[in-house]
Amino acid sequence: MRAASLSSRQAILLLGLVVLVWGTTWPVNKATLHYLSPVWAAAIRSCIGTGVLLLICLARGRLKLPARGDLPVVFSLGLLHMTAYSMLCNIGMQHVGAGRSVVLAYTTPMWVAPGARLFLGEAFTARRAAGTVCGLLGLLLIFNPLAFDWGNQASVFGNGLILLGAMFWAASILYMRGHRWVGEPFDVLIWQALLASCILVPSAWALEGPPQFDWQAAVLIQVVYSGAFGIAIAYWAINKVNHALPAMTTSLGLLGVPVFGIVCSSLVLGETLEPSLLAAMALIIAGIAIGALPARQRAL
């Protein structure tokens, strides 16, 4: 029997942890691409994350096969988010800066918003609509399609792959929210990560050939951080958050990731922090406040 869901306060704290971790992993992952090919980088991170999750499960005595009724969610998150999203974003980020990449990846609310209404029956209230519009205006201000160089095929390809990855992630969020759990979300997380690793490793070998590693200390730190925290800790947390909060609230809260990711990319990678980015961040933060904070206050 499933344990009780998280309280709203606990879910918000976990969502904040995810924002912190995922915001920092974008510049880290971009830096890793200087040393590793994109699919191998994703595969290695996945294997590290799977190993950390295995240790956590063993330490907690929670390593067990998923219930048959939870197998669909193992495949949905394992394939859509941990595999497709990770691979597409890594390939696309070869041609796109880390700051722009994180913004494109977090257009997820554009796809979650109509999906939550159509498939989950969640009310699209005036508050949520205002928060969503405000946040998406911020994203649009950062990614200005009118000023985009459509003649640069590599850039178009990279941006398109990241947007496609965002759509896959949105589908996994919607399925997670609508799934009727038999067991605990944490108990299936290891199997989702293992599935992703089992697909990413042969995919990397097929697409990029045998791995060629430049194991400098910096590379080790980067892949261990991305795998242990960006996958093991963050995916566990977002599993819990997706089950405890409405899909729209979660997606609005995750708009904080591009804000933090843009700042980190500017500080760590030297990417330009233009006035338009600052204005966009203000809109995104306003969208989070409008769409999420009133709901938290009522829940507490």
Side-chain angles (χ1 to χ4, degrees):
M1 183 175 179
R2 277 184 63 235
S5 298
L6 291 175
S7 68
S8 295
R9 186 185 299 274
Q10 291 171 326
I12 293 300
L13 289 175
L14 277 181
L15 185 56
L17 174 64
V18 173
V19 169
L20 173 65
V21 171
W22 278 345
T24 54
T25 54
W26 283 89
V28 169
N29 291 346
K30 177 68 173 180
T32 304
L33 293 178
H34 292 295
Y35 305 96
L36 297 174
S37 55
V39 184
W40 270 118
I44 293 169
R45 288 199 305 266
S46 182
C47 291
I48 292 173
T50 302
V52 173
L53 283 169
L54 177 61
L55 293 176
I56 295 173
C57 289
L58 291 174
R60 299 182 62 187
R62 296 280 295 273
L63 183 61
K64 58 183 179 181
L65 292 173
R68 179 177 297 182
D70 288 333
L71 286 178
V73 82
V74 171
F75 286 98
S76 64
L77 188 67
L79 295 175
L80 295 175
H81 193 182
M82 291 187 171
T83 301
Y85 172 84
S86 178
M87 184 186 298
L88 291 171
C89 288
N90 246 33
I91 296 174
M93 196 158 45
Q94 292 181 109
H95 313 291
V96 184
R100 176 180 288 268
S101 295
V102 67
V103 169
L104 294 176
Y106 282 81
T107 56
T108 302
M110 293 182 182
W111 324 120
V112 170
R117 179 68 185 91
L118 291 173
F119 302 113
L120 304 181
E122 291 187 6
F124 197 65
T125 63
R127 175 183 56 80
R128 287 182 175 177
T132 301
V133 170
C134 193
L136 295 181
L137 282 175
L139 295 178
L140 184 61
L141 185 60
I142 297 173
F143 177 58
N144 182 0
L146 298 179
F148 188 74
D149 182 8
W150 296 101
N152 187 334
Q153 295 183 353
S155 182
V156 172
F157 177 70
N159 281 270
L161 287 183
I162 296 172
L163 282 172
L164 180 59
M167 296 180 191
F168 279 116
W169 186 11
S172 71
I173 289 176
L174 292 169
Y175 189 87
M176 282 284 296
R177 182 59 186 169
H179 179 69
R180 294 185 178 181
W181 287 92
V182 177
E184 287 286 341
F186 178 81
D187 294 333
V188 303
L189 186 57
I190 177 62
W191 304 107
Q192 293 165 338
L194 180 61
L195 173 64
S197 297
C198 289
I199 295 175
L200 284 170
V201 170
S203 296
W205 199 292
L207 294 172
E208 299 172 346
Q212 298 180 1
F213 302 150
D214 185 0
W215 288 120
Q216 301 180 23
V219 183
L220 286 172
I221 293 172
Q222 289 165 7
V223 295
V224 169
Y225 175 79
S226 294
F229 288 89
I231 293 179
I233 303 301
Y235 276 114
W236 164 78
I238 202 63
N239 264 267
K240 303 288 285 185
V241 168
N242 278 332
H243 189 70
L245 297 176
M248 277 299 301
T249 301
T250 301
S251 59
L252 282 170
L254 289 175
L255 288 175
V257 176
V259 175
F260 199 59
I262 289 170
V263 173
C264 289
S265 298
S266 176
L267 294 175
V268 176
L269 302 178
E271 295 184 1
T272 303
L273 188 60
E274 299 175 352
S276 61
L277 295 181
L278 296 175
M281 286 190 290
L283 283 170
I284 291 170
I285 292 172
I288 295 171
I290 294 170
L293 288 179
R296 297 179 199 169
Q297 293 170 354
R298 285 196 296 270
L300 298 175

